[in-house]
């Protein structure tokens, strides 16, 4: 399970739509399983079929998270025209079982957002997303 504020989910979806036709990407930081910050990032591949993070931006996110006493707990990317499930490339590149991998599909009328974790056997398993309000976030 990962807890994500509704505002951050909305921001991820908005970023994904605004970067069409390419995949959007970014990182989420927080403590435990609770997301506190979103870091939209540049897809340096500029592709509708895959993404790569900008290495300098990755380093900057890590520095910012550490300065706040937080960790990178998830990364996300969009699938402009395919379902919210890991592609073969997504599976191959998902190395860290402690990270949640979030995919936003824009293939249908309404965006679909799902989260996945890499299991011990290497499969990607669906992970529940709990949407929180700002009041819950600041409680």
């Amino acid at each position: 399970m990962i807890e994500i504020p509704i505002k951050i989910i909305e921001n991820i979806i908005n970023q994904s739509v605004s970067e069409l036709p390419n995949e959007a990407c970014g990182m989420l930081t927080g403590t435990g399983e609770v997301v506190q910050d979103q870091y939209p990032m540049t897809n340096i591949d500029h592709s509708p079929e895959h993404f790569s993070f900008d290495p300098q931006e990755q380093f900057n996110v890590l520095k910012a998270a550490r300065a706040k006493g937080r960790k990178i707990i998830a990364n996300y990317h969009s699938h402009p025209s395919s379902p919210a499930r890991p592609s073969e490339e997504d599976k191959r590149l998902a190395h860290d079982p402690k990270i949640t991998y979030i995919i936003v599909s824009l293939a249908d009328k309404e965006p679909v957002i799902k989260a996945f974790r890499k299991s011990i056997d290497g499969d990607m398993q669906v992970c529940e997303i709990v949407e929180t309000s700002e009041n819950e976030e600041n409680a």
Side-chain angles (χ1 to χ4, degrees), residues 49-51 75 77 79 83-97 101 103 116-119 121-126:
E49 297 173 355
H50 51 88
F51 74 98
N75 68 47
H77 72 282
H79 283 182
R85 66 174 175 248
S87 66
E88 290 305 311
E89 181 176 356
D90 293 337
K91 292 175 190 176
R92 191 177 73 253
L93 296 174
H95 298 293
D96 191 341
Y101 299 89
I103 300 174
F116 302 86
R117 288 239 175 96
K118 189 131 188 175
S119 65
D121 63 4
D123 283 342
M124 297 292 282
Q125 304 294 320
V126 175

Side-chain angles (χ1 to χ4, degrees), residues 7-8 19 22 26 30 35 38 42-43 46 50 59 61 65-67 71 76-77 82 89 98 104 107-108 125 136:
K7 184 66 178 162
I8 289 178
E19 294 191 23
N22 296 325
V35 172
Q38 174 198 10
T42 304
N43 175 357
H46 305 287
H50 51 88
F59 179 72
V61 170
R66 285 183 178 164
K71 294 182 179 184
Y76 65 88
H77 72 282
S82 60
E89 181 176 356
K98 294 180 227 146
V104 178
D108 295 320
Q125 304 294 320
E136 291 171 288

